[in-house]
Amino acid sequence: LGMISAYEEMLEGGVLSPDPAQRMAAKALDGLSVDLVDFEDKKSGFGGLLRRKTPSPKGLYIWGDVGRGKTLLMDMFFEQVDIANKRRVHFHEFMDELHQNITLVRQNYSKNPRNNNSDFDPIALVVKPIIKSTSLLCFDEFHVNDITNAMLLGRLFEKMFAAGMVVVATSNVEPDSLYHNGLNRQLFLPFIDLLKNQTRVLHLKAKKDYRLNKLRSQPVFHFGDRKTTQKQIENHWHILTGGQKAGAGEISLLGRKIIVPQALMGCARFTYDDLCEKPLGARDYLALSHAFHTLVIENIPRFEGANSNAAKRFIILIDTLYDRGVKLVASFDVGIDQLSGDKNTELEFKRTVSRLQEMASKEYLARALSE
Ligand SMILES: Nc1ncnc2c1ncn2[C@@H]1O[C@H](COP(=O)(O)OP(=O)(O)OP(=O)(O)O)[C@@H](O)[C@H]1O
Ligand SMILES: [Mg+2]
């Protein structure tokens, strides 16, 4: 179909409202998509001979304020770009996985007493399979806050770019502001140069925070009779997803899969039972909070004594969403201040209640997502 056609189609269908800045970004992504397919053809066509001669196309680094459509556009691009070895990942999840693999490689290495090679390079070992299996890597929410990642990124990206990998990223900050005020920042600066060399930096100055607009078009919380709240939620879901039909999805983490009954445009829709009456834990909720910017949760009950396990999950779930700044649209059987009927969890519920109240505020709904 092509990126531009996909974008036009969504405009015509009324799913998206027109925005000149978004159109420009879509064009840039369209160009990259064509270049990438070209590049892949050349690579396979001449047995890799041309590969060394033809440099890979520059990636794109799209940055800007919250709710401007960065993730939306990158996901459209990712869906339609016609190359086999592509991967789209949340930046935090990618780094997490990388650290785990580095630890594993180190452990294996030190198990063998004959291994005492001073050039042992765990990063190279961990990057190798990534390079082999990926020619396009799309990162959502690129950011650098801690020194470990700051020091790792240069070596990592050097190897990836040297192998001809193309990187597309979304971020809330421009490259020059990455790891701002970080410890030993001067050691990080070469990475910024590398990034700016290997990607085209695009500031997406879309008209408004579309997410906030959609969220604020209706109350985010509904209370009382489930038949009534179901209609209200349905209505809000329709607005959030531009009236498209949502299919089921899944997200996988470390060999597990979480079923998402309905997922579209960065929003996911669940019932309370889906999330809290099943054996899900903090890691699962964290993965959800990285995969979606808005969660819709229906039929949250009043928590009686027997519900205690589910209640604990619910508390963790709300904590996770709150810490990340994920937005919540929800229906409750009772008012928020009456949620806890359970003595065991009353104290913890105090925090949950206060967080829920904050999550309905305009300030929260406009807040950036965080790590
Ligand atoms: N042109 C548009 N018309 C209608 N809705 C839009 C438009 N652009 C974006 N949206 C809506 O805004 C929501 C937020 O967009 P998106 O998640 O892509 O923002 P973002 O720039 O990635 O924000 P963040 O910096 O917080 O990650 C989308 O799910 C979509 O519903
Ligand atoms: Mg985003």
Side-chain angles (χ1 to χ4, degrees), residues 17 22 67-72 172 210-211 214 265 293:
S17 41
Q22 287 186 346
R68 262 54 183 185
K70 298 180 296 292
T71 302
L72 183 94
N172 289 127
Y210 289 97
R211 179 171 52 225
K214 285 180 168 181
M265 290 178 91
H293 61 68

Side-chain angles (χ1 to χ4, degrees), residues 86-186:
K86 55 181 180 178
R87 181 171 176 207
R88 187 261 194 225
V89 65
H90 188 272
F91 185 64
H92 176 88
E93 239 92 45
F94 180 81
M95 293 310 281
D96 213 30
E97 188 186 297
L98 204 77
H99 286 298
Q100 285 187 27
N101 288 337
I102 290 176
T103 311
L104 264 174
V105 165
R106 281 222 170 91
Q107 277 168 357
N108 279 338
Y109 183 80
S110 59
K111 263 187 207 147
N112 187 341
R114 274 178 305 179
N115 280 340
N116 56 3
N117 183 348
S118 56
D119 332 312
F120 172 62
D121 183 1
I123 299 177
L125 286 175
V126 167
V127 174
K128 220 179 194 176
I130 301 177
I131 289 172
K132 249 193 151 169
S133 61
T134 326
S135 27
L136 167 70
L137 198 47
C138 291
F139 287 118
D140 198 26
E141 294 178 22
F142 198 94
H143 63 269
V144 188
N145 296 328
D146 61 290
I147 186 153
T148 331
N149 282 346
M151 298 306 121
L152 180 61
L153 278 171
R155 298 180 57 205
L156 178 68
F157 275 62
E158 238 167 52
K159 293 186 198 318
M160 296 193 331
F161 287 135
M165 248 167 95
V166 174
V167 167
V168 175
T170 82
S171 179
N172 289 127
V173 295
E174 60 186 320
D176 281 323
S177 299
L178 285 168
Y179 195 50
H180 187 62
N181 288 336
L183 207 63
N184 284 335
R185 187 158 187 274
Q186 72 282 4

Side-chain angles (χ1 to χ4, degrees), residues 177-295:
S177 299
L178 285 168
Y179 195 50
H180 187 62
N181 288 336
L183 207 63
N184 284 335
R185 187 158 187 274
Q186 72 282 4
L187 298 177
F188 181 71
L189 298 179
F191 169 74
I192 294 181
D193 287 335
L194 180 68
L195 190 63
K196 290 201 297 199
N197 263 323
Q198 299 287 342
T199 62
R200 179 176 154 204
V201 178
L202 198 152
H203 185 183
L204 179 59
K205 286 188 199 152
K207 279 189 273 200
K208 55 187 171 205
D209 181 344
Y210 289 97
R211 179 171 52 225
L212 176 66
N213 258 44
K214 285 180 168 181
L215 284 165
R216 295 258 292 170
S217 68
Q218 312 280 309
V220 286
F221 294 161
H222 302 279
F223 307 99
D225 171 59
R226 288 191 178 184
K227 263 209 185 116
T228 314
T229 56
Q230 198 201 339
K231 283 197 194 111
Q232 294 163 326
I233 293 273
E234 189 62 47
N235 189 20
H236 209 168
W237 178 256
H238 188 87
I239 293 169
L240 289 171
T241 56
Q244 302 171 91
K245 241 192 141 48
E250 58 180 36
I251 57 175
S252 40
L253 68 156
L254 302 168
R256 280 161 61 83
K257 279 195 175 116
I258 308 171
I259 303 292
V260 185
Q262 292 185 60
L264 203 63
M265 290 178 91
C267 307
R269 183 170 171 181
F270 295 92
T271 63
Y272 163 81
D273 286 0
D274 293 332
L275 289 176
C276 298
E277 293 288 356
K278 298 207 170 120
L280 297 181
R283 264 192 169 268
D284 302 303
Y285 298 145
L286 189 67
L288 283 176
S289 79
H290 286 141
F292 302 104
H293 61 68
T294 299
L295 248 56

